[in-house]
Amino acid sequence: MNLRRITKVLLLGIYFSTGAWAQEGSEKFTISGYVLEQASGDYLPGASVYLPEESTGTSTNVYGFYSLTLPAGPHLLRFSFVGFAPVDTLMDLRANLSYNAQLLGTTLNEVEVSEKRNAQDQLKSTQMSMVQLPVENIGEIPLFLGEQDILKVAQLMPGIQSGTEGTSGLFVRGGSPDQNLILLDGVPVYNANHLFGFFSVFNPDAIQSVDIYKGGFPARFGGRLSSVIDVRMKEGNAKDFEGVFSMGLVAGKFTLEGPTLSEKGSFMVSARRTYIDALTRPFTALVTDGEAGGGYFFQDFNFKVNHRFNENHRIFASCYLGDDKAAFRSDYSFTYAEERTQSELKWGNLTGALRWNWRITPKLFANTTANYSRYRMTTGFESYYNNAGDISETQYAYSSGIEDVALKIDVDYLPNPNHHVRFGGQFINHTFTPGVNQFYNTESGAPPLEIKFGNAISYADEWAVYVEDDWQIGTRFKVNAGFHVSGFGFDSTQYVSAQPRISMRWAANERWSWKASYVWMTQYIHLLSNVGIGLPTDLWLPTTKSVTPMQAQQVALGWVFEPAKGYSLSMEGYYKNMDNVLEYKNGASFFANSNWEQLVEQGLGWSYGLEVLAEKKVGDFTGWIGYTLSWSWRQFDELNSGEKFPYRFDRRHDISVSGIYQLSQMKSFGLVWVYGTGAAASLPVANYGEVQHYSMTPIPQVFSNNLAYYENRNGYRMPAYHRLDLSYNKKKITKGGNEAMWSFGVYNVYNRINPFFLYVQDNNGDNLNELIKVGLFPVIPYLNYQLRF
Amino acid sequence: MKISGNYRFSWSSFLLAGLMFGLIFGLMSCEEEIPFNPEAQEKRLVINSIQEEGDLFSVHLSESVPILFTNFGENVIVKDAELNLYGNGEFLETLAFTENDLYQTDSTRVAQGITYRLEASHPNYPEASASFRLPAPPNIILAELDDPIDQVHYPIDLTIADEPDVDNYYVLEIYTDGWVADPRLLSFTTNDPYLLYGSDPDPAGETSFFGRAMWSDAGRDGTSIPLQLEVELPFGGGLWIYVEVKCIPRNYYLYLLTVRDQQNTGFDPFAQPGIIDNQVEGGIGLFTGYSKSRESWFIQ
């Protein structure tokens, strides 16, 4: 302890011992400001502002803002954040004060910083069923093809399950992927997948934090039943320029951040593109003799900039643009004929947000956001055929998507250290394009044919208001209670829903605490998905008069325990009940081109389970083991004879083991092992004859074995899924003083054939067919290079 | 070993070899046969029976073909099974196998208000049983053939009084007495949601060849159901046109719906599985009946 701190403590001791504080305690003043990282100028969300002498305090909000209203007089404030040296400041409150604290980073490694922050939050916060992903060390965890993917890391957490092999789809506590609200800087992202779900749209180099809420949703969140995935882009280093460049098997990435010219803000720009098309182009040209070609790529672009006008006003602008594009062309010439075809499939998201932080008073902080989000899928086909002068031309185009324009305001009110009140509201205008087809054909000598068909574009309005209070009652008990009221209007149909939310924490001591929560959630938009792996053909659709909003109620009970420094154990049990969940009807298909409302059924869903997460956060070996025991059911009047059936991704056991071993300061070894009960599938087991009877025929007619018999919907279990991935990472300081990292890894080390789909194969020469499982990914090595400058 | 010739290492050939090796290795290692559950190999009794009120009971009994069998072939009729019929829990009659490959009752006829249960047993198959209760016939309170729109298109107004507090399922069929003049149901409109059997009426297709539609009274229990039909008689008049409305049990309704769903699925790999409703315990098929009301008009 240095001399200044000893002096402060002594002064405080004298002050309190003389009882001077008691005379001045009747009048109160507010100290407010921001907590920042000294090196980069980054604002630190979740930093602690604690008064050790008075055993009270608060923490910064997501924009690094804090506010404390205290009795007049001197107070010792301790600003701290894991991974940073705490700063003690003595404040003599005689009026409202504004104070920004700057913290200096310590030598803790990034893993420890991330994990310890997580553990602290878990013990102290009322928030349960929430995980913070270790974004900082994601590069050292072995991943599919070496491509860093935050959603793949999320799948390693208990209660969050993957769908089929290699895909980024998230199934949270028995919910479907459309029940996840995926926010990028507060803006919904409607299709978070690239390459048919094998990669997510989030470029980890551009991401600062990922918080996933599986339950215990605070009132400020709404609109989905099962999870909120809150992804925040980096603000950018406000003091120095820095960047990252990396190349892997699949894609190359580049990120640059630094202060703006005015030095009152910062920016971050990041781009990623795959080069599958560039690699395959020479081979397709070789095989087709140049007469055909095609390719596939995806790309992402992230940009964020902020500007601080003064202590009270700050604005942020951020955008994301991502596209997938697959194209094919052919051009054949014959003696008397010429044929040209061209086809294209393109899909992607565009999001943008303009945010304004306003410290209205020292106790009142407002964040106003205008945002835009668009997901669009288009596909087209063109052909030209010239047969000795007879020309035929055909064009077909299909488009679908969703577009949102929204305005949102969130206000933080901190009247005293025991209350953190949040309130606000939002309005969203949705535009749905649920599948519009255009067909054009012309032939020599015939009038052109032009047809437009499909579902009409439709519009809907969604609004919500909320209020919640994080209330410290005594030293052990804390409660977060609130209400979320939302509404939805489509045509003349209006829906309103009032959703109570409550979360509680009882801290038994410094080492363990109990938590409980109850939430009610309502969802007004639905995703029609055929296979649930995030195909671009998935359709977002509104609640209508006949398709009613989905609703869910979830209760959870949890226990958080820190047995020793650097270790934590948490357990949670939950039960979730869902009404009006959607399923495709028997035999329904995306390609049916019928009115979508006639393709779906609404029914019940319920899931329950137990989640265990054991973590080791310090030392040479860090990592976690997650285990989920769960059940997930569905029941629909018109499906499976009205009987309950397992959800397609019902998974009884789900285990993930993830670890990083630091061989030295510059070398590390990563491991991931996952195991999951096999997915449920519907398979026919027999054939039999159909009976038919029409009034005009005298007797019923029985056909020959023309029907397939399924015992139950999702009545068959695929083999269990398991896989081991390994990685070896080596860092090196280059001559220029930059940090370079090579990562070598192997996906699916023991070459497990995990089933992606099953089919029946005709076995010639035998009287029996075979059931074949098809896996997508055998053992795959990868190499990745990253340079930080 | 010495490699002769002017071989030069190049990154492109290395990449090409790697890609080819990866592709071959991947394709070879990504397929594997998995055992099906043994129950899937078991043959079951298939009961197929649709009874009209007043008829003798008649049952078609065959065996199912396990899905892994390569040759589905013709239905294999099960001839020496024992089929017992019960009414409201009381034994009624044992069905006898007849020369037209059907099991039939000798005297018991289908009647309303009785819950029928059929039990089929044979030493080579698991026992199968199924039951149904015949609903009351529909009450048609309005049936009018309006003036023809032209030589071949005829509008019909039809109103059915729905019996309250009962789940009713309806099938509507239109037919004529002449085979060359089968009508087509061009339009079928009502203010309430309804379901068509087959796809939408299509004058160019055969999906409404028999002019059939079906719906349930879900959400409008006890209210009159007004229907506006437009019928096409492609070969003109000079014949009788019949409109028949049937009341069917729920198991028949679900069977019709789900058979349609499975057949619509076709070879679409993106379609949901078409699982046919099966109310036969221990076996497969349909054991059901119907009661009907009919209207007819002679078309000049």
Side-chain angles (χ1 to χ4, degrees), chain A residues 2-16:
Chain A
N2 60 32
L3 192 62
R4 281 177 64 187
R5 291 178 68 184
I6 292 170
T7 309
K8 285 174 189 172
V9 172
L10 283 175
L11 279 171
L12 269 177
I14 294 165
Y15 184 81
F16 282 107

Side-chain angles (χ1 to χ4, degrees), chain A residues 376-517:
Chain A
R376 188 168 60 187
M377 192 276 274
T378 58
T379 182
F381 171 80
E382 285 181 25
S383 74
Y384 170 87
Y385 188 68
N386 182 348
N387 186 6
D390 286 339
I391 296 172
S392 165
E393 285 183 78
T394 303
Q395 293 173 5
Y396 169 75
Y398 171 89
S399 65
S400 67
I402 182 170
E403 188 176 27
D404 283 1
V405 179
L407 186 67
K408 186 179 182 189
I409 182 163
D410 300 287
V411 181
D412 287 34
Y413 175 57
L414 297 108
N416 59 54
N418 292 332
H419 290 274
H420 186 162
V421 179
R422 295 178 176 94
F423 58 91
Q426 71 168 339
F427 176 83
I428 307 170
N429 177 256
H430 299 284
T431 302
F432 298 91
T433 309
V436 176
N437 300 268
Q438 284 179 291
F439 178 81
Y440 175 82
N441 178 256
T442 176
E443 296 196 25
S444 296
L449 175 68
E450 191 165 4
I451 305 171
K452 194 171 182 178
F453 58 100
N455 293 297
I457 293 173
S458 52
Y459 306 90
D461 293 327
E462 185 175 352
W463 58 266
V465 291
Y466 71 88
V467 61
E468 66 175 79
D469 184 17
D470 216 25
W471 183 14
Q472 179 77 43
I473 306 169
T475 55
R476 293 176 186 272
F477 190 63
K478 196 173 185 183
V479 62
N480 181 300
F483 253 97
H484 183 100
V485 180
S486 63
F488 191 83
F490 179 79
D491 283 344
S492 57
T493 308
Q494 298 287 331
Y495 293 97
V496 177
S497 165
Q499 304 151 45
R501 316 273 176 83
I502 187 164
S503 299
M504 291 169 278
R505 182 224 62 192
W506 185 77
N509 52 44
E510 289 293 311
R511 295 234 172 262
W512 60 276
S513 59
W514 286 95
K515 295 185 179 187
S517 68

Side-chain angles (χ1 to χ4, degrees), chain A residues 722-742:
Chain A
H722 53 92
R723 190 190 83 231
L724 174 70
D725 309 331
L726 297 173
S727 70
Y728 173 72
N729 312 290
K730 186 178 179 185
K731 290 178 186 171
K732 185 183 175 187
I733 303 300
T734 64
K735 288 178 182 173
N738 300 318
E739 183 189 282
M741 185 170 85
W742 285 95

Side-chain angles (χ1 to χ4, degrees), chain B residues 45 63 66 69 77 94 120 134 138 159 166 171 201 286-287 293:
Chain B
L45 290 174
E63 66 174 28
F69 278 42
I77 303 296
T94 296
L134 202 66
T159 302
V166 179
V171 168
L286 176 70
F287 177 60
S293 299

